[in-house]
């Protein structure tokens, strides 16, 4: 990934070193995108993955481990016994497991109720566009001031993203 217009390059480089995040020299194909080299970083370890493919791989890995995946079962609340989660209540009945992972995003607080300990994860709408482009037009992921361009192998370019604090509104906007 090529990160452009880095306001404090020294601080960004320090963060990368402290977190063992490799920095490198941008290849010639990406270097042509750099306007001010002193304000750009080449992050060779940053990659991309496709969400549907990740979900498919996770599903396969979970099933290979002998676990069941239950879909379309909304959790209404967690059941506690002796201060520990003992089950998940759903409209279809109580589910039990040895280990529980709460990954409910903006619904986490309502699911954890009094056990949320001040945790508040607001819903955030993000909007992206997908452009048709010839393969190779954009040689790498480009990030600048919270916005990004992600090239796809077939030539498409994913452009994003907005961060909009509009509650649970999933509608797209013309703007």
């Amino acid at each position: 990934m090529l990160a452009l217009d880095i306001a404090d390059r020294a601080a960004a480089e320090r963060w990368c070193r402290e977190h063992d995040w490799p920095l490198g020299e941008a290849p010639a194909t990406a270097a042509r995108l750099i306007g001010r080299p002193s304000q750009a970083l080449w992050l060779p370890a940053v990659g991309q993955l496709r969400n549907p493919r990740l979900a498919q791989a996770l599903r396969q890995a979970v099933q290979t481990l002998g676990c069941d995946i239950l879909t379309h079962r909304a959790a209404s609340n967690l059941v506690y016994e002796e201060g520990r989660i003992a089950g998940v209540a759903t409209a279809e009945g109580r589910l039990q497991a040895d280990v529980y992972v709460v990954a409910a995003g903006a619904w986490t607080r309502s699911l954890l109720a009094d056990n949320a300990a001040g945790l508040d994860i607001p819903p955030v709408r993000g909007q992206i566009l997908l452009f048709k482009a010839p393969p190779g037009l954009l040689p790498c992921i480009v990030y600048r001031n919270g916005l990004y361009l992600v090239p796809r192998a077939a030539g498409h370019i994913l452009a994003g993203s907005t961060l909009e604090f509009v509650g649970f509104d999933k509608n797209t906007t013309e703007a």
Side-chain angles (χ1 to χ4, degrees), residues 88-101:
V88 178
T90 73
E92 293 82 13
R94 181 172 160 172
L95 301 173
Q96 291 182 271
D98 295 330
V99 177
Y100 298 88
V101 176

Side-chain angles (χ1 to χ4, degrees), residues 69-129:
I69 296 177
L70 306 174
T71 59
H72 307 291
R73 295 196 184 187
S76 55
N77 66 296
L78 300 177
V79 179
Y80 292 89
E81 292 176 4
E82 299 177 14
R84 295 185 53 132
I85 299 173
V88 178
T90 73
E92 293 82 13
R94 181 172 160 172
L95 301 173
Q96 291 182 271
D98 295 330
V99 177
Y100 298 88
V101 176
V102 178
W107 293 271
T108 299
R109 184 166 182 72
S110 63
L111 189 59
L112 292 176
D114 293 339
N115 296 297
L119 179 66
D120 191 22
I121 302 171
V124 180
R125 176 174 65 192
Q127 297 188 61
I128 58 177
L129 294 171

Side-chain angles (χ1 to χ4, degrees), residues 45-87:
V46 173
Q48 61 173 297
L49 54 89
R50 303 289 300 272
N51 293 344
R53 292 180 186 159
L54 173 62
Q56 183 180 19
L58 288 173
R59 173 182 284 275
Q60 185 176 2
V62 166
Q63 290 173 331
T64 299
L65 291 171
C67 299
D68 295 323
I69 296 177
L70 306 174
T71 59
H72 307 291
R73 295 196 184 187
S76 55
N77 66 296
L78 300 177
V79 179
Y80 292 89
E81 292 176 4
E82 299 177 14
R84 295 185 53 132
I85 299 173

